[in-house]
Amino acid sequence: TVWDVGANVGYYTRQFAERVGGKGKVFAFEPSPVNFTRLSAACTGLDNVQLYQMGLGREAATLALVQGDDELGATSRVVGNTGALRPPPPLEGKETLVEIRTGQGLIQGGDALAPNVIKIDVEGFEWEVLEGLGAQLASSSLRAIGVEVHFGILRERGLAAAPQRIEDALVRNGFRL
């Protein structure tokens, strides 16, 4: 079971679906409505993929998301103030409200299977995603986590220490970096 957190338009989701085959499952999470439409189209016919138009975070919430200006929307990001020391900058009407859920809550509620592998690419919201996984981080069935860390965005949010927190959390839960 693979979780693609920040699935964007489905490039990795499709690759994961091919790798896990008919016995595996991919859960793809993408909060951007624009990106989700493209993700849905890219995953048409993939029976082993479950799509969720939501983001993952530390707690269930409704937060603002700004759609990226790049062609793929890859720079789209949640700009809510959860866990940030500084408030987000004014967005001048560019934001969309999106649903945020916790990974642990999805598993406990039966909405998603516990992951064996997680890919996280969430433009500065990495720490919140990991926190929302809770005890799942310590599960022996979770074998690998790939995290793209956005140092500049984290600094802008007043979370310059988040990369070290991410490393510490992974090591504390038995992962090698």
Side-chain angles (χ1 to χ4, degrees), residues 1 18-19 23 26 28 47 50 57 59 61 63 75 84 88 113-115 118 133 138 143 145 152-153 156 172:
T1 301
E18 182 179 307
R19 298 268 191 224
K23 293 184 180 181
V26 177
D47 296 332
Q50 178 69 46
E59 59 194 13
L63 297 176
T75 58
L113 299 174
I118 303 174
L133 289 167
R143 297 188 294 252
I145 301 175
I153 296 171
E156 287 173 17
R172 186 172 54 254

Side-chain angles (χ1 to χ4, degrees), residues 46 53 56 65 75 81 124 131 136 138 147 151 172:
L46 297 177
Q53 188 175 348
L56 297 185
L65 175 133
T75 58
N81 203 24
E131 281 189 302
Q136 187 60 40
V147 182
F151 296 91
R172 186 172 54 254

Side-chain angles (χ1 to χ4, degrees), residues 2 5 8 25-26 41 47 51-52 60 70 74-75 79 84 103 111 127 146 154 158 177:
V2 177
V5 183
N8 190 255
K25 190 79 172 168
V26 177
D47 296 332
L51 304 177
Y52 293 91
D70 58 291
T75 58
V79 293
D111 296 314
W127 177 239
L154 289 166
L177 303 180

Side-chain angles (χ1 to χ4, degrees), residues 1 9 13-14 21 31 43 48-49 59 78-79 85 92 110-111 142:
T1 301
V9 298
T13 305
R14 291 188 58 82
C43 294
N48 60 350
V49 174
E59 59 194 13
V78 172
V79 293
L85 299 175
E92 302 170 11
D111 296 314
L142 181 55

Side-chain angles (χ1 to χ4, degrees), residues 8 30 32 35 65-70 72-78 122-123:
N8 190 255
E30 177 54 51
S32 160
N35 296 351
L65 175 133
V66 173
Q67 181 66 31
D69 291 334
D70 58 291
L72 293 177
T75 58
S76 302
R77 63 181 171 137
V78 172
V122 291
E123 308 299 309

Side-chain angles (χ1 to χ4, degrees), residues 65-140:
L65 175 133
V66 173
Q67 181 66 31
D69 291 334
D70 58 291
E71 182 181 333
L72 293 177
T75 58
S76 302
R77 63 181 171 137
V78 172
V79 293
N81 203 24
T82 300
L85 299 175
R86 296 185 194 127
L91 302 172
E92 302 170 11
K94 295 181 182 179
E95 71 274 1
T96 301
L97 294 178
V98 296
E99 179 183 10
I100 304 294
R101 304 263 307 271
T102 68
Q104 186 165 308
L106 289 168
I107 295 165
Q108 289 173 344
D111 296 314
L113 299 174
N116 303 114
V117 175
I118 303 174
K119 177 222 119 198
I120 302 171
D121 182 2
V122 291
E123 308 299 309
F125 215 64
E126 303 86 339
W127 177 239
E128 286 89 345
V129 171
L130 288 172
E131 281 189 302
L133 289 167
Q136 187 60 40
L137 276 180
S139 171
S140 62

Side-chain angles (χ1 to χ4, degrees), residues 3-16:
W3 282 19
D4 187 354
V5 183
N8 190 255
V9 298
Y11 178 78
Y12 289 109
T13 305
R14 291 188 58 82
Q15 290 185 50
F16 293 143

